[in-house]
């Protein structure tokens, strides 16, 4: 009897220990089964019209060494056109994009090329596009031309190594576009790509700036990308490009948000994944003005929800105000890393979700 009691207590202790560790193993029912659970970062070397495309090889190496397997490249199509002509290609800039694709292959990292600015649309207000991607045929024709050109350029690179993320964060349904417009643009662009390369994986960001999925595309092979930014009063506190002055002070849980509400926020994406659509979180993280302790508490919940449903993630940047290095936070002690300032606590949190 004493022996049985000891065995029972050992089993109870093991169960308690296991309960304290997130269980994200294959024994859980997976919502998302189409895509690998990619984990990584956005690299911003072609992110604006002022960008040079000078990718740092060390970024790819360190991302691999830290245990991650994915980079998203938000890019501006105007970097590789000449004389304001959407159809006149500047080869020298595309060679730089080639280099990023090559570095991904060298270090075993999946590369996802994204148009942060495509013909007719961008969330970045540094330049006003002359046409509306969602309404004007001129813009859609140019959009498809650029994607078909890249499809031809990278044909032969497997979809396990390279994907195309069509356009960053389409707006909410309203004056600028309807849901029918958004679906039409995605279907048309995906067809232009797959007519050139039938195997190329195409990803579409959700509408409402990545927050709302498009179940209307569930009959296609197009995967969809969500965001890990809600609530914005945590992720974008103090960010100059949003109306942060209208936000309440960051708190987690707080201001009407908690773990349950966060789960409800992601439920449409999880439901979409259960219908057999590939789902990934193409951007996530937190600007450097939110207190670090609050950021990490909230971000753990975000990562747990995504991981429980086999949905991968990409932090908005690797080096910079959202990143694990050189983020400029005032309330943490950085670790020196090859001349950079490493946020070890954030890195350790991310690595818990390998």
């Amino acid at each position: 009897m004493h022996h049985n009691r000891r065995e029972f207590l050992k089993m109870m202790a093991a169960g308690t220990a296991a309960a304290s560790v997130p269980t994200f193993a294959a024994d859980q029912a997976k919502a998302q089964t189409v895509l690998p659970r990619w984990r990584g970062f956005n690299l911003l070397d072609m992110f604006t019209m002022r960008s040079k495309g000078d990718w740092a090889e060390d970024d790819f190496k360190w991302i691999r060494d830290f245990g991650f397997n994915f980079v998203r490249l938000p890019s501006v199509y105007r970097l590789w056109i000449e004389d304001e002509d959407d159809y006149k290609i500047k080869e020298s800039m595309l060679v730089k994009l080639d280099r990023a694709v090559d570095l991904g292959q060298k270090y075993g990292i999946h590369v996802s090329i994204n148009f942060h600015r495509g013909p007719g649309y961008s969330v970045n207000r540094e330049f006003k596009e002359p046409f509306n991607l969602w309404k004007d045929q001129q813009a859609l024709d140019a959009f498809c031309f650029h994607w078909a050109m890249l499809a031809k350029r990278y044909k032969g690179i497997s979809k396990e190594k390279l994907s195309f993320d069509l356009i960053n964060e389409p707006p909410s349904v309203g004056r600028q576009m309807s849901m029918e417009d958004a679906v039409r643009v995605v279907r048309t662009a995906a067809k232009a790509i797959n007519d050139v390369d039938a195997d190329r994986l195409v990803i579409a960001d959700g509408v409402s700036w990545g927050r709302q999925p498009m179940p209307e595309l569930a009959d296609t092979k197009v995967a969809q990308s969500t965001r890990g930014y809600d609530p914005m009063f945590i992720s974008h506190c103090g960010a100059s490009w949003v109306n942060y002055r209208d936000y309440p002070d960051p708190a987690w849980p707080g201001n009407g948000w908690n773990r349950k509400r966060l789960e409800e926020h992601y439920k449409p994406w999880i439901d979409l994944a259960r219908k057999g659509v590939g789902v990934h979180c193409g951007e996530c993280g937190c600007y450097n003005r939110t207190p670090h302790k609050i950021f990490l508490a909230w971000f753990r919940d975000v990562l747990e929800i995504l991981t429980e449903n086999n949905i991968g993630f990409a932090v908005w940047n690797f080096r910079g105000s959202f990143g694990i290095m050189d983020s400029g936070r005032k309330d943490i002690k950085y670790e020196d890393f090859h001349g950079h300032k490493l946020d070890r606590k954030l890195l350790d949190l991310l690595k818990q979700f390998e």
Side-chain angles (χ1 to χ4, degrees):
M1 186 170 72
H2 290 299
H3 174 75
N4 290 340
R5 183 172 182 273
R6 283 197 303 271
E7 292 301 313
F8 174 76
L9 290 174
K10 285 168 65 178
M11 290 172 61
M12 288 293 292
T16 301
S20 67
V21 178
T23 55
F24 306 128
D27 58 354
Q28 289 196 337
K30 293 181 179 181
Q32 198 287 129
T33 58
V34 176
L35 301 178
R37 194 171 65 86
W38 290 316
R39 298 158 291 103
F41 302 87
N42 285 258
L43 297 181
L44 308 187
D45 299 84
M46 281 190 167
F47 163 56
T48 76
M49 290 172 60
R50 303 178 303 280
S51 299
K52 304 299 183 184
D54 295 331
W55 313 96
E57 182 168 353
D58 280 344
D59 287 355
F60 290 82
K61 179 180 183 299
W62 293 336
I63 287 169
R64 188 273 313 271
D65 291 348
F66 285 144
F68 301 97
N69 60 6
F70 178 89
V71 294
R72 180 173 178 263
L73 310 181
S75 305
V76 172
Y77 83 102
R78 296 187 70 84
L79 292 174
W80 58 75
I81 67 171
E82 293 186 297
D83 303 328
E84 304 294 315
D85 184 342
D86 288 351
Y87 296 91
K88 187 176 180 180
I89 300 300
K90 184 190 298 183
E91 178 68 15
S92 60
M93 285 304 291
L94 285 180
V95 168
K96 292 189 174 186
L97 188 60
D98 295 345
R99 181 169 177 269
V101 174
D102 291 343
L103 286 170
Q105 293 184 78
K106 178 177 179 179
Y107 290 101
I109 294 170
H110 182 93
V111 171
S112 187
I113 299 173
N114 162 252
F115 281 7
H116 198 271
R117 176 178 296 280
Y121 182 73
S122 178
V123 295
N124 193 323
R125 291 171 286 188
E126 67 177 342
F127 174 80
K128 182 174 175 55
E129 291 289 320
F131 298 105
N132 179 344
L133 173 62
W134 317 106
K135 297 290 187 182
D136 297 331
Q137 191 64 42
Q138 298 97 317
L140 182 55
D141 288 346
F143 188 70
C144 291
F145 166 80
H146 281 269
W147 275 123
M149 177 266 295
L150 293 180
K152 182 178 180 181
R153 191 177 189 92
Y154 299 123
K155 189 174 183 178
I157 299 176
S158 75
K159 63 182 179 181
E160 284 74 29
K161 297 178 180 179
L162 180 70
S163 59
F164 290 168
D165 180 350
L166 294 176
I167 189 71
N168 182 69
E169 297 180 1
S172 58
V173 170
R175 285 188 309 170
Q176 196 171 354
M177 71 170 195
S178 66
M179 180 62 82
E180 291 76 15
D181 291 328
V183 170
R184 174 176 51 82
V185 166
V186 171
R187 286 183 182 273
T188 304
K191 183 178 185 303
I193 291 166
N194 291 142
D195 281 350
V196 175
D197 185 350
D199 291 330
R200 180 60 58 220
L201 173 63
V202 177
I203 301 171
D205 285 8
V207 300
S208 297
W209 301 280
R211 289 181 172 83
Q212 180 183 346
M214 292 183 277
E216 296 86 348
L217 294 168
D219 63 317
T220 72
K221 296 179 181 179
V222 176
Q224 297 190 39
S225 178
T226 185
R227 294 293 178 268
Y229 288 145
D230 285 285
M232 292 279 284
F233 64 78
I234 289 182
S235 67
H236 284 70
C237 171
S240 60
W241 60 95
V242 296
N243 296 321
Y244 72 89
R245 292 178 181 83
D246 297 334
Y247 295 160
D249 291 338
W252 188 257
N255 301 312
W257 279 82
N258 54 24
R259 172 65 179 256
K260 184 175 186 297
R261 184 172 174 185
L262 202 58
E263 290 171 347
E264 292 170 352
H265 170 74
Y266 286 108
K267 185 176 185 300
W269 290 96
I270 295 164
D271 290 345
L272 184 72
R274 291 195 186 282
K275 293 177 180 177
V277 177
V279 173
H280 186 255
C281 181
E283 294 183 20
C284 59
C286 184
Y287 189 54
N288 60 18
R289 302 292 179 84
T290 296
H292 202 242
K293 185 176 181 180
I294 293 173
F295 161 40
L296 294 184
W298 161 77
F299 202 35
R300 175 178 291 278
D301 280 345
V302 171
L303 294 172
E304 284 183 359
I305 292 167
L306 295 175
T307 304
E308 285 166 0
N309 291 284
N310 202 42
I311 297 172
F313 60 86
V315 178
W316 167 239
N317 53 17
F318 181 59
R319 290 180 288 112
S321 57
F322 281 69
I324 63 171
M325 289 200 291
D326 304 333
S327 59
R329 296 183 180 276
K330 305 297 184 183
D331 59 343
I332 65 172
K333 184 177 180 180
Y334 286 101
E335 176 181 316
D336 181 69
F337 183 83
H338 299 281
H340 296 275
K341 295 180 177 180
L342 175 65
D343 181 346
R344 175 61 69 175
K345 287 187 176 180
L346 175 55
L347 175 58
D348 286 347
L349 174 64
L350 292 170
K351 286 177 67 64
Q352 288 179 38
F353 297 88
E354 291 182 347

